[in-house]
PDB file of all heavy atoms in Angstrom:
ATOM      1  N   SER D 199     -22.775   9.689   9.146  1.00 94.00           N
ATOM      2  CA  SER D 199     -21.460  10.011   8.582  1.00 94.00           C
ATOM      3  C   SER D 199     -21.652  10.995   7.440  1.00 94.00           C
ATOM      4  O   SER D 199     -22.766  11.174   6.938  1.00 94.00           O
ATOM      5  CB  SER D 199     -20.786   8.739   8.042  1.00 94.00           C
ATOM      6  OG  SER D 199     -20.377   7.882   9.079  1.00 94.00           O
ATOM      7  N   ASN D 200     -20.561  11.581   7.009  1.00 95.00           N
ATOM      8  CA  ASN D 200     -20.635  12.576   5.932  1.00 95.00           C
ATOM      9  C   ASN D 200     -21.184  11.937   4.645  1.00 95.00           C
ATOM     10  O   ASN D 200     -20.616  10.969   4.141  1.00 95.00           O
ATOM     11  CB  ASN D 200     -19.229  13.139   5.704  1.00 95.00           C
ATOM     12  CG  ASN D 200     -19.243  14.338   4.803  1.00 95.00           C
ATOM     13  OD1 ASN D 200     -19.721  14.258   3.680  1.00 95.00           O
ATOM     14  ND2 ASN D 200     -18.731  15.447   5.296  1.00 95.00           N
ATOM     15  N   PRO D 201     -22.290  12.513   4.102  1.00 96.00           N
ATOM     16  CA  PRO D 201     -22.923  11.894   2.928  1.00 96.00           C
ATOM     17  C   PRO D 201     -22.108  12.041   1.644  1.00 96.00           C
ATOM     18  O   PRO D 201     -22.355  11.325   0.682  1.00 96.00           O
ATOM     19  CB  PRO D 201     -24.250  12.655   2.798  1.00 96.00           C
ATOM     20  CG  PRO D 201     -24.053  13.923   3.548  1.00 96.00           C
ATOM     21  CD  PRO D 201     -23.025  13.680   4.615  1.00 96.00           C
ATOM     22  N   VAL D 202     -21.145  12.952   1.638  1.00 96.00           N
ATOM     23  CA  VAL D 202     -20.342  13.155   0.417  1.00 96.00           C
ATOM     24  C   VAL D 202     -18.995  12.454   0.540  1.00 96.00           C
ATOM     25  O   VAL D 202     -18.677  11.561  -0.249  1.00 96.00           O
ATOM     26  CB  VAL D 202     -20.138  14.669   0.135  1.00 96.00           C
ATOM     27  CG1 VAL D 202     -19.318  14.873  -1.142  1.00 96.00           C
ATOM     28  CG2 VAL D 202     -21.473  15.383   0.044  1.00 96.00           C
ATOM     29  N   VAL D 203     -18.199  12.820   1.539  1.00 96.00           N
ATOM     30  CA  VAL D 203     -16.824  12.292   1.589  1.00 96.00           C
ATOM     31  C   VAL D 203     -16.692  10.986   2.368  1.00 96.00           C
ATOM     32  O   VAL D 203     -15.610  10.393   2.382  1.00 96.00           O
ATOM     33  CB  VAL D 203     -15.818  13.341   2.140  1.00 96.00           C
ATOM     34  CG1 VAL D 203     -15.713  14.533   1.210  1.00 96.00           C
ATOM     35  CG2 VAL D 203     -16.169  13.775   3.548  1.00 96.00           C
ATOM     36  N   SER D 204     -17.749  10.522   3.025  1.00 97.00           N
ATOM     37  CA  SER D 204     -17.663   9.220   3.707  1.00 97.00           C
ATOM     38  C   SER D 204     -18.573   8.216   3.007  1.00 97.00           C
ATOM     39  O   SER D 204     -18.106   7.421   2.195  1.00 97.00           O
ATOM     40  CB  SER D 204     -18.037   9.355   5.195  1.00 97.00           C
ATOM     41  OG  SER D 204     -17.134  10.226   5.850  1.00 97.00           O
ATOM     42  N   VAL D 205     -19.888   8.295   3.267  1.00 98.00           N
ATOM     43  CA  VAL D 205     -20.814   7.337   2.635  1.00 98.00           C
ATOM     44  C   VAL D 205     -20.783   7.499   1.111  1.00 98.00           C
ATOM     45  O   VAL D 205     -20.753   6.515   0.367  1.00 98.00           O
ATOM     46  CB  VAL D 205     -22.252   7.518   3.191  1.00 98.00           C
ATOM     47  CG1 VAL D 205     -23.219   6.554   2.505  1.00 98.00           C
ATOM     48  CG2 VAL D 205     -22.275   7.311   4.704  1.00 98.00           C
ATOM     49  N   GLY D 206     -20.722   8.754   0.649  1.00 97.00           N
ATOM     50  CA  GLY D 206     -20.718   9.029  -0.794  1.00 97.00           C
ATOM     51  C   GLY D 206     -19.524   8.399  -1.496  1.00 97.00           C
ATOM     52  O   GLY D 206     -19.639   7.912  -2.621  1.00 97.00           O
ATOM     53  N   THR D 207     -18.380   8.408  -0.836  1.00 98.00           N
ATOM     54  CA  THR D 207     -17.171   7.830  -1.447  1.00 98.00           C
ATOM     55  C   THR D 207     -17.304   6.313  -1.537  1.00 98.00           C
ATOM     56  O   THR D 207     -16.907   5.701  -2.530  1.00 98.00           O
ATOM     57  CB  THR D 207     -15.922   8.229  -0.621  1.00 98.00           C
ATOM     58  OG1 THR D 207     -15.938   9.643  -0.458  1.00 98.00           O
ATOM     59  CG2 THR D 207     -14.643   7.815  -1.310  1.00 98.00           C
ATOM     60  N   ILE D 208     -17.870   5.703  -0.501  1.00 98.00           N
ATOM     61  CA  ILE D 208     -18.073   4.244  -0.537  1.00 98.00           C
ATOM     62  C   ILE D 208     -19.026   3.901  -1.694  1.00 98.00           C
ATOM     63  O   ILE D 208     -18.785   2.970  -2.465  1.00 98.00           O
ATOM     64  CB  ILE D 208     -18.634   3.737   0.817  1.00 98.00           C
ATOM     65  CG1 ILE D 208     -17.672   4.084   1.966  1.00 98.00           C
ATOM     66  CG2 ILE D 208     -18.898   2.229   0.759  1.00 98.00           C
ATOM     67  CD1 ILE D 208     -18.232   3.819   3.361  1.00 98.00           C
ATOM     68  N   LEU D 209     -20.099   4.697  -1.812  1.00 98.00           N
ATOM     69  CA  LEU D 209     -21.082   4.433  -2.876  1.00 98.00           C
ATOM     70  C   LEU D 209     -20.513   4.700  -4.266  1.00 98.00           C
ATOM     71  O   LEU D 209     -21.075   4.239  -5.262  1.00 98.00           O
ATOM     72  CB  LEU D 209     -22.336   5.297  -2.653  1.00 98.00           C
ATOM     73  CG  LEU D 209     -23.166   4.977  -1.405  1.00 98.00           C
ATOM     74  CD1 LEU D 209     -24.255   6.039  -1.207  1.00 98.00           C
ATOM     75  CD2 LEU D 209     -23.804   3.586  -1.503  1.00 98.00           C
ATOM     76  N   ALA D 210     -19.401   5.444  -4.325  1.00 98.00           N
ATOM     77  CA  ALA D 210     -18.792   5.760  -5.629  1.00 98.00           C
ATOM     78  C   ALA D 210     -17.980   4.590  -6.188  1.00 98.00           C
ATOM     79  O   ALA D 210     -17.590   4.611  -7.354  1.00 98.00           O
ATOM     80  CB  ALA D 210     -17.894   6.994  -5.502  1.00 98.00           C
ATOM     81  N   VAL D 211     -17.727   3.580  -5.367  1.00 98.00           N
ATOM     82  CA  VAL D 211     -17.004   2.400  -5.874  1.00 98.00           C
ATOM     83  C   VAL D 211     -18.002   1.570  -6.691  1.00 98.00           C
ATOM     84  O   VAL D 211     -19.021   1.122  -6.151  1.00 98.00           O
ATOM     85  CB  VAL D 211     -16.425   1.557  -4.711  1.00 98.00           C
ATOM     86  CG1 VAL D 211     -15.773   0.281  -5.246  1.00 98.00           C
ATOM     87  CG2 VAL D 211     -15.423   2.389  -3.910  1.00 98.00           C
ATOM     88  N   PRO D 212     -17.753   1.419  -7.985  1.00 98.00           N
ATOM     89  CA  PRO D 212     -18.722   0.744  -8.847  1.00 98.00           C
ATOM     90  C   PRO D 212     -19.150  -0.615  -8.266  1.00 98.00           C
ATOM     91  O   PRO D 212     -18.299  -1.407  -7.863  1.00 98.00           O
ATOM     92  CB  PRO D 212     -17.971   0.570 -10.166  1.00 98.00           C
ATOM     93  CG  PRO D 212     -16.947   1.664 -10.160  1.00 98.00           C
ATOM     94  CD  PRO D 212     -16.542   1.836  -8.727  1.00 98.00           C
ATOM     95  N   GLY D 213     -20.447  -0.824  -8.229  1.00 98.00           N
ATOM     96  CA  GLY D 213     -20.981  -2.101  -7.753  1.00 98.00           C
ATOM     97  C   GLY D 213     -21.579  -2.008  -6.361  1.00 98.00           C
ATOM     98  O   GLY D 213     -22.509  -2.750  -6.027  1.00 98.00           O
ATOM     99  N   ILE D 214     -21.088  -1.078  -5.528  1.00 98.00           N
ATOM    100  CA  ILE D 214     -21.576  -1.050  -4.137  1.00 98.00           C
ATOM    101  C   ILE D 214     -22.993  -0.456  -4.066  1.00 98.00           C
ATOM    102  O   ILE D 214     -23.902  -1.049  -3.484  1.00 98.00           O
ATOM    103  CB  ILE D 214     -20.585  -0.299  -3.207  1.00 98.00           C
ATOM    104  CG1 ILE D 214     -19.246  -1.053  -3.155  1.00 98.00           C
ATOM    105  CG2 ILE D 214     -21.194  -0.138  -1.810  1.00 98.00           C
ATOM    106  CD1 ILE D 214     -18.232  -0.519  -2.157  1.00 98.00           C
ATOM    107  N   ARG D 215     -23.186   0.700  -4.703  1.00 98.00           N
ATOM    108  CA  ARG D 215     -24.528   1.312  -4.703  1.00 98.00           C
ATOM    109  C   ARG D 215     -25.545   0.344  -5.309  1.00 98.00           C
ATOM    110  O   ARG D 215     -26.631   0.128  -4.752  1.00 98.00           O
ATOM    111  CB  ARG D 215     -24.504   2.623  -5.504  1.00 98.00           C
ATOM    112  CG  ARG D 215     -25.865   3.274  -5.676  1.00 98.00           C
ATOM    113  CD  ARG D 215     -25.771   4.436  -6.643  1.00 98.00           C
ATOM    114  NE  ARG D 215     -25.088   5.573  -6.055  1.00 98.00           N
ATOM    115  CZ  ARG D 215     -25.689   6.529  -5.343  1.00 98.00           C
ATOM    116  NH1 ARG D 215     -26.987   6.479  -5.154  1.00 98.00           N
ATOM    117  NH2 ARG D 215     -25.008   7.528  -4.846  1.00 98.00           N
ATOM    118  N   GLU D 216     -25.168  -0.263  -6.431  1.00 97.00           N
ATOM    119  CA  GLU D 216     -26.087  -1.164  -7.133  1.00 97.00           C
ATOM    120  C   GLU D 216     -26.422  -2.373  -6.254  1.00 97.00           C
ATOM    121  O   GLU D 216     -27.583  -2.789  -6.167  1.00 97.00           O
ATOM    122  CB  GLU D 216     -25.442  -1.650  -8.443  1.00 97.00           C
ATOM    123  CG  GLU D 216     -25.140  -0.564  -9.479  1.00 97.00           C
ATOM    124  CD  GLU D 216     -23.897   0.301  -9.172  1.00 97.00           C
ATOM    125  OE1 GLU D 216     -23.229   0.066  -8.141  1.00 97.00           O
ATOM    126  OE2 GLU D 216     -23.610   1.225  -9.964  1.00 97.00           O
ATOM    127  N   ALA D 217     -25.413  -2.915  -5.573  1.00 98.00           N
ATOM    128  CA  ALA D 217     -25.653  -4.088  -4.717  1.00 98.00           C
ATOM    129  C   ALA D 217     -26.620  -3.741  -3.583  1.00 98.00           C
ATOM    130  O   ALA D 217     -27.493  -4.548  -3.235  1.00 98.00           O
ATOM    131  CB  ALA D 217     -24.325  -4.590  -4.143  1.00 98.00           C
ATOM    132  N   ILE D 218     -26.486  -2.538  -3.031  1.00 98.00           N
ATOM    133  CA  ILE D 218     -27.374  -2.134  -1.929  1.00 98.00           C
ATOM    134  C   ILE D 218     -28.798  -1.944  -2.456  1.00 98.00           C
ATOM    135  O   ILE D 218     -29.768  -2.424  -1.864  1.00 98.00           O
ATOM    136  CB  ILE D 218     -26.847  -0.843  -1.249  1.00 98.00           C
ATOM    137  CG1 ILE D 218     -25.505  -1.120  -0.562  1.00 98.00           C
ATOM    138  CG2 ILE D 218     -27.865  -0.298  -0.250  1.00 98.00           C
ATOM    139  CD1 ILE D 218     -24.794   0.108  -0.032  1.00 98.00           C
ATOM    140  N   ALA D 219     -28.898  -1.258  -3.599  1.00 96.00           N
ATOM    141  CA  ALA D 219     -30.234  -0.998  -4.163  1.00 96.00           C
ATOM    142  C   ALA D 219     -30.936  -2.301  -4.545  1.00 96.00           C
ATOM    143  O   ALA D 219     -32.165  -2.403  -4.450  1.00 96.00           O
ATOM    144  CB  ALA D 219     -30.102  -0.078  -5.383  1.00 96.00           C
ATOM    145  N   GLU D 220     -30.132  -3.283  -4.951  1.00 95.00           N
ATOM    146  CA  GLU D 220     -30.734  -4.539  -5.426  1.00 95.00           C
ATOM    147  C   GLU D 220     -30.851  -5.604  -4.348  1.00 95.00           C
ATOM    148  O   GLU D 220     -31.395  -6.684  -4.594  1.00 95.00           O
ATOM    149  CB  GLU D 220     -29.896  -5.102  -6.591  1.00 95.00           C
ATOM    150  CG  GLU D 220     -30.060  -4.299  -7.872  1.00 95.00           C
ATOM    151  CD  GLU D 220     -28.920  -4.541  -8.849  1.00 95.00           C
ATOM    152  OE1 GLU D 220     -28.187  -5.534  -8.684  1.00 95.00           O
ATOM    153  OE2 GLU D 220     -28.766  -3.715  -9.783  1.00 95.00           O
ATOM    154  N   ALA D 221     -30.342  -5.315  -3.147  1.00 96.00           N
ATOM    155  CA  ALA D 221     -30.317  -6.352  -2.100  1.00 96.00           C
ATOM    156  C   ALA D 221     -31.730  -6.718  -1.637  1.00 96.00           C
ATOM    157  O   ALA D 221     -31.955  -7.807  -1.099  1.00 96.00           O
ATOM    158  CB  ALA D 221     -29.464  -5.893  -0.916  1.00 96.00           C
TER     159      ALA D 221
END
Side-chain angles (χ1 to χ4, degrees):
S199 289
N200 191 303
V202 181
V203 295
S204 298
V205 178
T207 308
I208 301 171
L209 294 172
V211 176
I214 296 187
R215 175 188 287 272
E216 297 76 1
I218 294 172
E220 288 160 16

